[in-house]
Amino acid sequence: MIDLKAKPYNLSEEDIAWVKNTIAGMTDEEKVGQLFFQLTASQDEEYLKELMEKYHLGGCRYNGMPGEKVLAQNKILQKYAKIPVFIACNPEKGGDGVCSDGTMVGSGIKVGATGKTEYAEAMGLVSGAQIAATGCNMAFAPVVDILYNHECEEVLSRSFGNDPKRVASMGKAYMDGLHKTHGVAATAKHFPGNGQDYRDAHISNNINNFNHDEWMATYGHVYKTLIDGGLDAIMGGHILMPEFMKDVKPGITYEEMLPATLCYEIMTTLLRGELGFNGMVVTDASHMVGMTNQMKRKEMLPLSINAGCDMFLFFNDPDEDYNTMLDAYKNGVISEERMDEALSRILGLKAKMGLNKKTKEELCPAGEELPTILYNSEFKEYSPAISRDAITLVKSLDKDVLPLSPENTKRIMIVPIKGADNPMMALAQMAMGGGIQRKTPAQKLQERLQEKGFDVFIYESPLDKIKAMMARGEKPSLNLYFAGKNSIMDFVSEQDLVISLFDVMNGHPAFGLSKGGGEIPWYVHELPVVGISVNKPTMLADCPMIRTYINAYDSNDDTMDALVDALVTGDFRGKDPIDSFCGMWDTRV
């Protein structure tokens, strides 16, 4: 089922001979090691040496760190690898997914809002250059999921939108940009397609409800576009397809259904057979509950390979998982034919990337050009341009509100609205220097509006006042909580316009006060109110009463510059890449 002379490999006879001869010379232990991608936990050389020499890894992923450290680690990995190793990263928004000092270009949904494939290509181009500069060679990107369900937070900001044609064209453009850096492979995800189930496969099942024909016309179109364009690899998602499976396997019961990464009918019959994908497949992370809740782990590992996945993403316990897969191979659970096929794809892709023709010293760059590539001035120009073209005026029922001017609405109150506390986000911020005091989105917006001549103040909720009193060691006044109701006339007299600024990453807005006060925009018929989301673009579902609503997609400095320019000029260029009305009638009126 594999043709190394065809796309995406296009190998010469010499390269094919290298693949075959390398496989023929491998021990059982080395063969099994090539099936694994591992997430590294340390930059210690002895630890990295063990990964390569004890487990013979086919691929590695690492946690985020500066480019210099990424390059140093990658040099060690290749130094001890008998066969050159895939080193992957997650550049879904650009080079900031390669290393912490890489160049962010824009999220998928933000680029989707511009409607310009050249920006998607720029994401791939920047990613590819910074991948290669740090000694990496594979992108776990582009994300080509289609956002049909506004509650699907797993891919909400990562998808290019809800239109299969747009997702296909943007995904292919990203891949084309990535391929401009020779030797960097693209891995589209998450096959067979996320975006319908609100549940996150990290913690639950995830379901794609399309039947065969519906899937072929949507997700199938996306993947076929990339496959025909030379897609190197695919990441299989832990996604159940009940309606599809009923079509292709009549009589199947719900109890018999498996997520794609464990399902032969999806990963082999559909992907290899019907779509004709000849490239390499890696599973999504194997600690995700959408995979682990199906069966015992010792059964799950070999089944993923037999289903059609060529590589398995991440050990749980290295010795346990490695030996489980090794036993399955030695006992014939994984056949010689299936092992040879998986290895041919893995090594075939490494040959396509030219890794087989490089010395160990050549597999990673020396590093002299790393600062130039990480701080490339041309790369940094993409983000402001995307911000300018992405700001989206989704809803505008009060025609006299925009554009803003100091003459009409000089006094502006900004109401910051956060989401519920997310402990994982807090940990991530701490790891990235969260102790550094950074300006909030509200402060950034305040400064820029003041520069335009507005008088702007930031609303402080009663609960925030109570927290501040407690932080100072004072006894909090609970009367503050119940003092939210006041005269409408007094409230209206204090400002000319309110900006409800949503900075919600996940879940729903965490309104601390439900009676009166300024947090919930109950006053939309008393004062002009402009709702602006600087993260999650579906805030109308929670605040349908807002009559003017804008999606900015993030709160980067260049985004806030573009946002304020659009507010005062009325020049909103973005087109809603999803249904920001969330399929609800009351969000539109």
Side-chain angles (χ1 to χ4, degrees):
M1 293 180 66
I2 181 170
D3 183 357
L4 293 177
K5 291 185 179 180
K7 289 188 296 189
Y9 309 105
N10 303 309
L11 297 187
S12 65
E13 292 291 347
E14 179 185 359
D15 286 330
I16 293 172
W18 175 80
V19 171
K20 291 182 177 180
N21 293 337
T22 302
I23 294 173
M26 294 169 73
T27 64
D28 290 351
E29 289 75 12
E30 290 169 344
K31 289 180 180 180
V32 167
Q34 284 295 301
L35 304 181
F36 284 101
F37 246 103
Q38 173 59 345
L39 181 67
T40 61
S42 167
Q43 289 78 58
D44 178 72
E45 183 162 351
E46 285 303 310
Y47 162 76
L48 298 174
K49 178 181 178 183
E50 181 183 53
L51 287 181
M52 293 297 103
E53 295 187 343
K54 181 177 180 180
Y55 301 110
H56 318 287
L57 293 179
C60 278
R61 253 289 274 130
Y62 53 88
N63 288 299
M65 50 189 172
E68 269 189 16
K69 290 188 175 181
V70 175
L71 178 57
Q73 175 174 284
N74 291 347
K75 288 180 178 181
I76 297 171
L77 289 169
Q78 297 291 14
K79 174 183 175 181
Y80 293 109
K82 183 177 179 181
I83 297 170
V85 62
F86 290 131
I87 305 177
C89 49
N90 274 344
E92 298 177 6
K93 298 186 293 183
D96 62 328
V98 179
C99 52
S100 58
D101 46 354
T103 306
M104 195 279 285
V105 176
S107 65
I109 197 167
K110 187 176 182 181
V111 171
T114 70
K116 297 183 177 182
T117 55
E118 55 262 41
Y119 290 143
E121 185 172 344
M123 288 170 66
L125 177 67
V126 172
S127 298
Q130 297 186 345
I131 286 169
T134 53
C136 300
N137 50 41
M138 176 174 280
F140 283 164
V143 175
V144 290
D145 296 310
I146 308 171
L147 191 77
Y148 288 110
N149 185 341
H150 76 274
E151 293 183 293
C152 180
E153 295 185 351
E154 189 178 356
V155 297
L156 175 57
S157 65
R158 302 160 73 192
S159 169
F160 290 114
N162 64 358
D163 176 26
K165 291 183 179 178
R166 184 196 303 118
V167 173
S169 62
M170 292 280 184
K172 184 179 182 300
Y174 178 104
M175 178 180 71
D176 291 343
L178 195 74
H179 281 163
K180 288 187 176 180
T181 304
H182 177 71
V184 175
T187 309
K189 59 187 184 186
H190 306 82
F191 184 87
N194 202 340
Q196 293 188 4
D197 198 335
Y198 74 91
R199 296 172 297 182
D200 185 335
H202 290 83
I203 55 177
S204 179
N205 287 341
N206 185 284
I207 295 176
N208 183 314
N209 281 305
F210 281 164
N211 62 31
H212 176 274
D213 291 345
E214 291 169 333
W215 188 89
M216 287 299 296
T218 54
Y219 293 95
H221 168 72
V222 172
Y223 277 98
K224 194 70 169 70
T225 299
L226 270 69
I227 289 168
D228 290 346
L231 178 64
D232 308 289
I234 280 174
M235 177 177 285
H238 311 312
I239 299 168
L240 292 154
M241 298 185 72
E243 299 306 314
F244 174 89
M245 289 301 295
K246 290 176 189 176
D247 283 351
V248 302
K249 197 174 181 180
I252 188 172
T253 66
Y254 284 115
E255 291 77 11
E256 294 172 317
M257 290 184 185
L258 293 169
T261 41
L262 301 173
C263 182
Y264 183 89
E265 289 80 9
I266 297 174
M267 299 310 301
T268 298
T269 305
L270 174 62
L271 180 56
R272 302 296 188 191
E274 199 160 353
L275 293 186
F277 182 57
N278 191 38
M280 194 268 287
V281 174
V282 58
T283 73
D284 204 345
S286 64
H287 61 266
M288 295 168 68
V289 177
M291 187 183 203
T292 61
N293 69 359
Q294 300 295 323
M295 62 190 66
K296 292 181 178 180
R297 192 170 180 87
K298 66 179 181 181
E299 299 168 342
M300 187 181 82
L301 272 75
L303 182 56
S304 68
I305 303 301
N306 286 335
C309 301
D310 303 303
M311 298 190 74
F312 189 86
L313 191 61
F314 304 154
F315 290 135
N316 182 45
D317 176 83
D319 283 341
E320 189 174 65
D321 281 358
Y322 178 78
N323 287 316
T324 292
M325 199 79 85
L326 181 60
D327 289 344
Y329 175 48
K330 288 184 174 181
N331 294 333
V333 176
I334 299 174
S335 68
E336 197 68 50
E337 179 183 21
R338 178 67 193 105
M339 177 64 79
D340 187 74
E341 182 183 54
L343 291 173
S344 294
R345 288 200 174 95
I346 296 165
L347 298 185
L349 183 52
K350 291 181 178 182
K352 183 255 177 115
M353 296 159 68
L355 304 182
N356 61 316
K357 295 181 178 177
K358 293 182 178 180
T359 66
K360 287 184 178 292
E361 293 72 25
E362 293 171 334
L363 288 167
C364 293
E368 290 90 345
E369 296 183 358
L370 182 60
T372 302
I373 296 172
L374 291 182
Y375 304 108
N376 183 301
S377 58
E378 292 184 11
F379 290 173
K380 292 185 180 297
E381 291 176 4
Y382 290 120
S383 182
I386 291 170
S387 294
R388 181 191 64 231
D389 290 343
I391 306 293
T392 307
L393 178 60
V394 175
K395 182 179 180 181
S396 181
L397 298 183
D398 296 328
K399 303 303 180 184
D400 57 344
V401 173
L402 296 175
L404 301 183
S405 70
E407 291 74 28
N408 296 327
T409 53
K410 186 174 182 66
R411 299 171 303 162
I412 296 177
M413 176 172 75
I414 298 175
V415 181
I417 302 170
K418 301 286 290 184
D421 290 338
N422 184 324
M424 289 306 297
M425 287 297 299
L427 286 173
Q429 290 172 356
M430 288 173 61
M432 297 174 67
I436 301 172
Q437 292 296 316
R438 293 183 172 88
K439 290 180 181 176
T440 66
Q443 290 168 335
K444 291 181 180 182
L445 182 58
Q446 179 188 39
E447 290 177 358
R448 287 161 174 78
L449 286 172
Q450 286 173 336
E451 289 172 0
K452 298 291 184 181
F454 295 91
D455 292 337
V456 187
F457 71 97
I458 298 173
Y459 172 82
E460 185 180 15
S461 75
L463 283 183
D464 286 338
K465 291 178 181 177
I466 290 173
K467 290 178 183 178
M469 293 174 70
M470 294 175 67
R472 293 193 297 267
E474 301 173 9
K475 183 178 179 180
S477 171
L478 295 181
N479 288 332
L480 284 171
Y481 183 84
F482 300 103
K485 291 184 177 182
N486 57 1
S487 162
I488 300 297
M489 184 180 297
D490 289 343
F491 181 80
V492 169
S493 69
E494 292 172 355
Q495 55 265 322
D496 303 314
L497 179 137
V498 177
I499 293 178
S500 295
L501 188 65
F502 297 94
D503 184 18
V504 179
M505 291 291 293
N506 307 101
H508 301 279
F511 294 116
L513 194 65
S514 61
K515 297 178 180 179
E519 291 178 71
I520 303 174
W522 54 266
Y523 37 78
V524 292
H525 294 290
E526 307 289 349
L527 281 167
V529 178
V530 178
I532 301 173
S533 174
V534 293
N535 273 311
K536 188 178 174 186
T538 53
M539 291 294 97
L540 278 175
D542 293 283
C543 289
M545 74 288 282
I546 287 180
R547 300 174 61 79
T548 303
Y549 177 75
I550 297 162
N551 275 327
Y553 307 105
D554 62 52
S555 58
N556 297 334
D557 287 343
D558 54 64
T559 301
M560 301 307 281
D561 290 340
L563 171 62
V564 171
D565 284 344
L567 285 171
V568 299
T569 64
D571 182 16
F572 293 91
R573 303 182 187 182
K575 303 295 182 185
D576 191 7
I578 59 172
D579 173 19
S580 292
F581 295 103
C582 305
M584 302 174 181
W585 66 265
D586 61 325
T587 57
R588 296 180 178 273
V589 297

